[in-house]
Amino acid sequence: MQLIIAGFHRSGTSLMTQLLHRAGLFVGTDLLGAMPSNQYGHLEDRDFLRLHRSILRRHGEEWQWDVPFPHFIGRNHWRRMARLARERDLEHEMWGFKDPRVCLFLGAWKHVMPDAKVVMIYRDPAECVRSLEHRQAGEYFRGLDEPTDDTVARAPHHLRFFTEPDHGLRVWDTYNRAMVAFAEGHLDDCLVVPHTDLLRGRPVVAQIRERFGAPLGDVAVEEVLDPLAIGARVAPQRVASAEVAERVHQTWQSLERLASRTEN
């Protein structure tokens, strides 16, 4: 069984993956570990992370897509996707992976793995943007770029969240709109979960077990949740463009409907 954990950056995908890993899901051995912005580790399999980064960088951006991703995947990348899936299938009866960038590649992975199931988590856009601004500012002042395989370097792209109006909201919308499009076409293979439900202790593992037949153990959210690690926005989210505000609102409403339709 193959399980993909998808969600925009800072939406709770690490928490979801910790929960599923504790319940018995194999998520890799060479994982992106703890950082100041995520002290419990990202639980991202570096093989999948490198693959997604490689595809995105060929299009000129690592992850801050604030317009729809062009979805061109070259032959070599298709081969890497198929090889990774085949290797994991041979080694593990039940496995999965998490990387926020996978939101942009769900259709491609569904082509490679037709039986794959997807657990999606979404969070209030203002909360995501606040968290990203906090992370990007910290990394900028520490002189850090997005982590590559083993090195980091200075990168002014962190400033986009502070110099480009509505950049964070537009990136949030790009990722979540891609999730909506996929879920609407593959509803039976998706479980869409609000971040607030996860924090309130919703029995997500049991629901995944029931919905997809996943052989997962019993693990409660409280066993992996650290409430002190969850920040909240105090000041309201500023929006420069009414068009962006409306687009984000529409995407949010679509996510809410999908969550309701997949809950039972």
Side-chain angles (χ1 to χ4, degrees), residues 161-179:
F161 283 84
F162 310 100
T163 60
E164 299 181 21
D166 299 331
H167 176 62
L169 290 174
R170 287 185 280 116
V171 179
W172 180 95
D173 186 70
T174 297
Y175 277 67
N176 284 281
R177 192 166 284 258
M179 282 205 309

Side-chain angles (χ1 to χ4, degrees), residues 236-257:
Q237 173 67 45
R238 293 184 178 181
V239 185
S241 167
E243 181 181 353
V244 169
E246 178 59 26
R247 187 173 178 86
V248 167
H249 176 72
Q250 291 176 1
T251 302
W252 177 263
Q253 292 299 315
S254 296
L255 289 164
E256 294 275 80
R257 287 192 294 270

Side-chain angles (χ1 to χ4, degrees), residues 14-211:
S14 295
L15 175 59
M16 179 73 80
T17 306
Q18 289 179 34
L19 185 64
L20 293 173
H21 177 57
R22 183 79 67 89
L25 181 70
F26 177 82
V27 296
T29 53
D30 184 14
L31 301 176
L32 186 64
M35 294 181 181
S37 59
N38 191 336
Q39 60 181 316
Y40 295 103
H42 292 75
L43 290 176
E44 294 173 11
D45 188 320
R46 290 182 185 271
D47 286 337
F48 292 87
L49 183 57
R50 292 186 187 110
L51 171 60
H52 294 155
R53 281 177 169 161
S54 178
I55 298 172
L56 290 170
R57 284 170 177 162
R58 289 190 62 177
H59 293 81
E61 178 54 72
E62 208 283 351
W63 66 271
Q64 292 187 40
W65 284 93
D66 57 6
V67 295
F69 178 65
H71 290 98
F72 174 77
I73 300 176
R75 182 179 301 175
N76 289 340
H77 286 129
W78 280 113
R79 289 172 177 169
R80 285 175 63 182
M81 293 174 73
R83 185 175 68 251
L84 279 174
R86 184 169 59 251
E87 289 174 352
R88 296 298 188 275
D89 280 340
L90 291 173
E91 296 169 354
H92 304 278
E93 181 179 353
M94 181 179 63
W95 64 276
F97 68 90
K98 166 255 179 179
D99 175 18
R101 297 161 190 80
V102 79
C103 296
L104 306 174
F105 302 111
L106 289 171
W109 280 111
K110 190 64 172 174
H111 177 75
V112 173
M113 306 183 304
D115 296 326
K117 310 301 180 185
V118 184
V119 177
M120 300 178 173
I121 183 166
Y122 66 97
R123 186 181 184 187
D124 182 280
E127 295 290 347
C128 290
V129 173
R130 180 212 63 84
S131 185
L132 280 171
E133 288 173 347
H134 184 269
R135 185 186 75 178
Q136 299 301 98
E139 292 185 356
Y140 176 76
F141 285 110
R142 289 194 301 273
L144 302 180
D145 189 3
E146 283 297 301
T148 57
D149 292 347
D150 300 298
T151 61
V152 292
R154 187 78 176 182
H157 78 264
H158 287 307
L159 297 180
R160 295 184 66 187
F161 283 84
F162 310 100
T163 60
E164 299 181 21
D166 299 331
H167 176 62
L169 290 174
R170 287 185 280 116
V171 179
W172 180 95
D173 186 70
T174 297
Y175 277 67
N176 284 281
R177 192 166 284 258
M179 282 205 309
V180 166
F182 179 85
E184 288 179 340
H186 304 86
L187 197 63
D188 291 341
D189 294 325
C190 297
L191 178 66
V192 184
V193 181
H195 181 255
T196 51
D197 280 15
L198 194 60
L199 299 186
R200 291 168 183 159
R202 175 175 164 179
V204 178
V205 173
Q207 291 178 339
I208 293 172
R209 186 170 58 229
E210 180 178 349
R211 184 170 179 82

